[in-house]
Amino acid sequence: MSIVLATASHHHHPPNRSLLPSQLRPSCSARDRLTLWKPINERVLRDSEGNELALPKELGDRIEKVLAAAFAESTLETYAAGLLAFHVFCDSRGVEESQRAPCSVDLLQSWIATMAGNYAGTSIKNYLHGVRAWHIMHGIEWNIDKPTLDTIIRGAERLQPDRLKRKKRQPFTIEYITKILDDFDPQNQLDAACGGCLTTSFYCAARVGELTVPTLKDFTPDRFVTPSQIRTATDRNGFQTTVIHVPRTKSSPVEGEDLYFSQQLGQADPDWWLRNHLEINKPESTEHLFAYGQTIGRHENIFPDGRRALTKSAFIQRIYKAARNKNLPLLQGHGIRIGATLEYLLRGVPFDAVRVIGRWQSDAFLLYLRKHAEIMAPYLQPELHQAFIQYTMPPVRCKCPPTYWGSAVAGCVAHSFLLGIAADRVLRRILSWDPRAYCPPTQSHHSTDVK
């Protein structure tokens, strides 16, 4: 039995078909669609036995707003595209409003079957989750069991056309960033802001959207980072770390999260570029951290309002321009976060520490290990990379006195994951050196056991 699939389409809904007018689906922004588009059956508040509760209707509306707040705006917009596609499909097939919510297994599978082979697997998965979220938000029972859901999604992913498969995102490297920065003029206000944003994003393993704004009108001090949210932390040994608090992030929309970096060697030093940006652009405490005002000449400003927050599009466009000028490949913005992860792992930073730096709440970042063989090389050749593994997996627990520490986190110079690797590679090879011999004889209580 052969399956004939329709030609591929990049539209959010089938071409030449539009949404039929309905009072249930008013015109609104994508981010409001899941709440303002109503199913024909309104939410009914019930007790545990299914009896209707004597509660005011306004509580149902309040519940919808609270549930909507659980999703990031970007997620709401993605799910909204799926909800639109679902209703366009139902309109085109004459599906009654009462049959759309709750959605049956057969209706859902029929809809997905029309998209399979036309859309990317991830798009179909997001669309499906959008319809599910719409049900949850309006108190409509979702009767699709997980095994059925997983099976049809897996089938749609396998039928995905090769041309729609996402190419592997290439990582930014320090060498790549250095060449990009070479095209920047540190005295130019836009370049100063972009240089600070690029290096800070990289060494903080941050998402680009955490240090930029989607559009100029989106900036508010309570949602995006400002100069007032920068501080310096100093440990007992005098080592300094720059900490930047982001008020809202994708994984922590209420309390926000801290990004942090330390001074680095070379032209891509985030400390130098951030200080240069603050000196050149002088953003106010309530402005966007990377606010700037590009000038022509010395005093003339090309922006009517004088200053603007650094948008993601302006940042990426400047990176692309520099890449073209330097004959470099154009890398996606997410490659900055991927590159930072790979850089720290290649330096020998323990997996757990990298997870903390990138603020992953799960082991999702381990996906990078499966995609970049250079990270796994030391573990595939343990006899050749014994020193590397010693400092990464598991991390060393050193009991040397503070006098010999290279940092409060890493331990003594001989056992730190950075200096220890360098010393181990050189001295062990040349002098058959044992790192424990570095410490004085009176301190013979070292332990490299995992605690």
Side-chain angles (χ1 to χ4, degrees), residues 20 105 170 189 201 217 356:
L20 298 179
V105 173
Q170 296 301 316
Q189 292 175 322
S201 297
K217 65 179 182 180
V356 172

Side-chain angles (χ1 to χ4, degrees), residues 305-320:
D305 56 355
R307 302 180 60 73
R308 57 178 58 193
L310 181 62
T311 63
K312 182 177 180 179
S313 60
F315 173 69
I316 295 298
Q317 287 174 10
R318 184 63 186 95
I319 298 297
Y320 282 179

Side-chain angles (χ1 to χ4, degrees), residues 246-314:
V246 182
R248 294 187 187 183
T249 64
K250 184 176 182 179
S251 55
S252 184
V254 178
E255 297 181 355
E257 295 178 297
D258 286 342
L259 314 179
Y260 35 86
F261 67 80
S262 296
Q263 186 176 10
Q264 304 289 321
L265 299 177
Q267 298 179 23
D269 176 22
D271 183 70
W272 187 91
W273 278 98
L274 181 58
R275 285 190 288 106
N276 176 72
H277 158 68
L278 295 176
E279 180 180 345
I280 295 298
N281 287 304
K282 298 179 175 59
E284 299 291 337
S285 60
T286 57
E287 286 186 304
H288 185 252
L289 172 59
F290 293 107
Y292 68 99
Q294 181 147 0
T295 59
I296 299 176
R298 180 168 298 182
H299 301 292
E300 183 181 357
N301 199 298
I302 67 172
F303 301 135
D305 56 355
R307 302 180 60 73
R308 57 178 58 193
L310 181 62
T311 63
K312 182 177 180 179
S313 60

Side-chain angles (χ1 to χ4, degrees), residues 22 71 85 109 138 140 152 157 172 197 260 272 281 312 329 365 388 431:
S22 172
F71 299 96
Q109 291 181 334
H138 294 281
I140 305 298
I152 195 165
E157 290 174 339
F172 277 59
C197 183
Y260 35 86
W272 187 91
N281 287 304
K312 182 177 180 179
F365 82 98
F388 180 91
L431 305 175

Side-chain angles (χ1 to χ4, degrees), residues 211-228:
L211 294 177
T212 60
V213 297
T215 65
L216 293 176
K217 65 179 182 180
D218 288 323
F219 173 75
T220 57
D222 62 322
R223 294 179 55 198
F224 295 94
V225 64
T226 64
S228 63

Side-chain angles (χ1 to χ4, degrees), residues 59-295:
L59 278 177
D61 296 333
R62 179 61 180 168
I63 290 173
E64 291 175 9
K65 292 180 180 179
V66 173
L67 291 174
F71 299 96
E73 288 186 1
S74 58
T75 303
L76 288 174
E77 292 175 354
T78 300
Y79 284 180
L83 186 59
L84 171 62
F86 173 72
H87 282 293
V88 167
F89 168 80
C90 291
D91 284 347
S92 67
R93 267 71 176 185
V95 179
E96 299 292 335
E97 293 290 346
S98 59
Q99 295 175 321
R100 304 182 188 190
C103 177
S104 68
V105 173
D106 288 341
L107 176 59
L108 186 76
Q109 291 181 334
S110 298
W111 174 47
I112 294 176
T114 62
M115 293 189 291
N118 300 334
Y119 291 74
T122 53
S123 296
I124 294 178
K125 185 176 181 179
N126 286 332
Y127 283 8
L128 189 152
H129 286 310
V131 175
R132 178 176 178 268
W134 182 62
H135 276 64
I136 293 173
M137 202 169 292
H138 294 281
I140 305 298
E141 187 176 1
W142 180 253
N143 296 316
I144 317 298
D145 62 280
K146 189 175 185 301
T148 299
L149 209 60
D150 292 343
T151 301
I152 195 165
I153 289 176
R154 193 157 53 242
E157 290 174 339
R158 291 191 175 185
L159 290 173
Q160 173 179 288
D162 290 339
R163 63 186 182 81
L164 293 181
K165 291 181 180 178
R166 176 181 291 178
K167 295 181 180 179
K168 185 172 70 174
R169 294 171 179 174
Q170 296 301 316
F172 277 59
T173 63
I174 293 179
E175 180 182 6
Y176 183 91
I177 292 174
T178 300
K179 291 179 179 178
I180 292 293
L181 295 174
D182 188 53
D183 191 67
F184 287 4
D185 176 5
Q187 300 302 310
N188 177 280
Q189 292 175 322
L190 174 60
D191 286 1
C194 289
C197 183
L198 174 59
T199 54
T200 299
S201 297
F202 183 81
Y203 283 102
C204 290
R207 303 175 183 89
V208 173
E210 292 172 338
L211 294 177
T212 60
V213 297
T215 65
L216 293 176
K217 65 179 182 180
D218 288 323
F219 173 75
T220 57
D222 62 322
R223 294 179 55 198
F224 295 94
V225 64
T226 64
S228 63
Q229 292 156 335
I230 301 178
R231 71 178 191 274
T232 300
T234 305
D235 71 3
R236 68 180 69 183
N237 299 297
F239 293 97
Q240 292 187 340
T241 299
T242 299
V243 183
I244 303 174
H245 181 72
V246 182
R248 294 187 187 183
T249 64
K250 184 176 182 179
S251 55
S252 184
V254 178
E255 297 181 355
E257 295 178 297
D258 286 342
L259 314 179
Y260 35 86
F261 67 80
S262 296
Q263 186 176 10
Q264 304 289 321
L265 299 177
Q267 298 179 23
D269 176 22
D271 183 70
W272 187 91
W273 278 98
L274 181 58
R275 285 190 288 106
N276 176 72
H277 158 68
L278 295 176
E279 180 180 345
I280 295 298
N281 287 304
K282 298 179 175 59
E284 299 291 337
S285 60
T286 57
E287 286 186 304
H288 185 252
L289 172 59
F290 293 107
Y292 68 99
Q294 181 147 0
T295 59

